Amino acid sequence: MQLNMYVNTFGDYLKHIFKESIHKISLDADFTCPNRDGTLGRGGCTFCNAKSFVTNSHQKPIREQILSNRNSKSNKFLAYFQAYTNTYAELQILKKYYDEAINSADVVGICVGTRPDCLSDEVLALLASYVKRGYEVWLELGLQTAFDETLDLINRHHHFCDYVNTVHRAHDYGINICTHLIIGLPGEELIHNLTTLQLVIDEGVQALKLHQLHIVKGSIMAKQYEQGKIQVYELPEYAQIAAKLIQNTPKDILFARVGASVMDDSLIAPSWSTKRWPCINAITEILSKTGAQGSAIGDSFNYSDFYK
Ligand code: SF4
């Protein structure tokens, strides 16, 4: 039983396009984040630990990072600018790093992770220039939730309208969007996740990443968790919600991730977050019994009364 029997996965999409498995190489270009350097805020998002991004890779040039992180099972790669806010720098600096990645041997495209409020038209035009050259280009937007109250609570310093604005502009430039959502944020339950999902689908999205809320050392949430102010889902609860979201997602939208894993030494909770497979297996089992991606579309869920 495999996830891709029930879910339209990003891995299968890449395999279909390139006729072979594509490995994603995480890169650290030593960018920072406007929610940490004082431009928007200083503490960062309450779930984030800036140190968790520090991989020592940032001391190496991009081309070297790609060379040293190549996976021997793959011949082609996507360069994934993952650490911090990867559109938060002068255009020429971004171009230098993106070019270095794109021009590395066997790289077939780039994924750029960023905040929804941090994308100028110049950066979108730069990314679109790679699309025009035939590269696979994905913008990975950390939305987490469509509820502004929750975004304020977790100190994101952006709102859902920022996401909508960026999605429309990115689509005008022909750039694919992969949206990151967190399940289990404080004050939220299934109805919030379903509502966020529906709003994201309505705005147009090509791929999704689902993450469980996990508490990492050094984050603001770590203190809140110790004080008993925050709870996290156990694996069965998380798998049920993730499966529901997948069942409510149209079949043409890709899932690039259905759960996250965290390094053992930075994790506080939940303990099941250290491994990928138990989560993937639990979701796969639910989908095998209750229906695959898209099977719940048309059920009586109507978010408009809930989302004002
Ligand atoms: S999660 Fe992203 S936007 Fe939030 S503080 Fe961390 S790097 Fe910045």
Side-chain angles (χ1 to χ4, degrees):
M1 209 165 43
Q2 288 190 319
L3 185 71
N4 64 357
M5 291 168 67
Y6 309 100
V7 174
N8 187 10
T9 66
F10 187 61
D12 274 5
Y13 158 82
L14 292 174
K15 211 181 263 182
H16 177 74
I17 303 245
F18 295 100
K19 313 292 177 222
E20 60 184 294
S21 292
I22 305 296
H23 177 60
K24 218 168 162 181
I25 298 177
S26 293
L27 301 172
D28 183 345
D30 211 10
F31 294 124
T32 179
C33 164
N35 202 14
R36 291 197 164 274
D37 71 0
T39 304
L40 292 172
R42 284 223 176 263
C45 307
T46 58
F47 57 82
C48 175
N49 172 5
K51 290 196 187 105
S52 69
F53 289 123
V54 178
T55 59
N56 292 330
S57 296
H58 65 294
Q59 291 153 355
K60 292 186 196 165
I62 295 296
R63 192 167 287 124
E64 252 179 65
Q65 291 184 43
I66 291 174
L67 273 176
S68 57
N69 291 313
R70 284 171 73 111
N71 173 331
S72 58
K73 291 182 196 150
S74 306
N75 300 310
K76 292 180 180 160
F77 305 91
L78 277 181
Y80 179 21
F81 287 86
Q82 183 179 23
Y84 292 95
T85 300
N86 293 281
T87 53
Y88 186 53
E90 296 290 322
L91 184 70
Q92 287 316 310
I93 294 173
L94 296 175
K95 184 173 181 331
K96 173 179 174 298
Y97 287 129
Y98 299 165
D99 278 354
E100 200 177 331
I102 281 280
N103 293 327
S104 294
D106 305 319
V107 168
V108 294
I110 54 170
C111 304
V112 177
T114 191
R115 295 169 54 88
D117 58 350
C118 206
L119 271 149
S120 65
D121 280 338
E122 289 75 17
V123 175
L124 288 171
L126 172 62
L127 292 173
S129 71
Y130 303 122
V131 178
K132 282 191 198 114
R133 286 166 57 192
Y135 288 102
E136 190 71 22
V137 176
W138 286 83
L139 198 49
E140 302 221 6
L141 291 181
L143 171 62
Q144 321 310 356
T145 172
F147 287 83
D148 289 346
E149 311 89 87
T150 314
L151 290 168
D152 290 344
L153 192 65
I154 62 173
N155 205 28
R156 284 289 294 177
H157 281 285
H158 69 73
H159 280 160
F160 184 58
C161 59
D162 299 307
Y163 170 82
V164 172
N165 175 294
T166 292
V167 165
H168 290 185
R169 288 187 301 120
H171 282 157
D172 286 346
Y173 279 96
I175 299 166
N176 286 323
I177 304 280
C178 175
T179 299
H180 296 212
L181 303 176
I182 296 179
I183 295 172
L185 286 169
E188 296 206 346
E189 48 192 63
L190 174 62
I191 181 91
H192 297 86
N193 304 133
L194 283 169
T195 303
T196 292
L197 174 74
Q198 196 54 55
L199 288 161
V200 165
I201 291 169
D202 288 352
E203 295 304 332
V205 69
Q206 287 66 54
L208 294 168
K209 275 188 180 175
L210 305 181
H211 299 192
Q212 68 275 28
L213 176 68
H214 46 233
I215 312 296
V216 292
K217 290 175 188 165
S219 65
I220 295 170
M221 275 193 186
K223 287 196 189 106
Q224 296 170 334
Y225 183 76
E226 276 162 26
Q227 293 162 353
K229 292 180 181 162
I230 287 186
Q231 290 170 345
V232 291
Y233 283 128
E234 290 304 325
L235 176 55
E237 297 169 288
Y238 175 78
Q240 285 290 350
I241 295 176
K244 262 262 181 291
L245 297 184
I246 292 166
Q247 289 166 336
N248 277 278
T249 302
K251 286 181 180 164
D252 61 330
I253 295 176
L254 306 166
F255 277 89
R257 194 180 287 164
V258 296
S261 57
V262 190
M263 301 287 278
D264 239 340
D265 56 355
S266 59
L267 181 71
I268 294 177
S271 55
W272 57 270
S273 277
T274 53
K275 295 189 176 65
R276 266 178 82 221
W277 286 106
C279 175
I280 292 173
N281 291 342
I283 293 169
T284 306
E285 192 176 344
I286 295 168
L287 296 174
S288 74
K289 290 179 180 154
T290 60
Q293 181 173 342
S295 59
I297 293 172
D299 289 359
S300 56
F301 173 66
N302 181 354
Y303 67 83
S304 56
D305 294 335
F306 189 68
Y307 189 84
K308 304 283 183 202

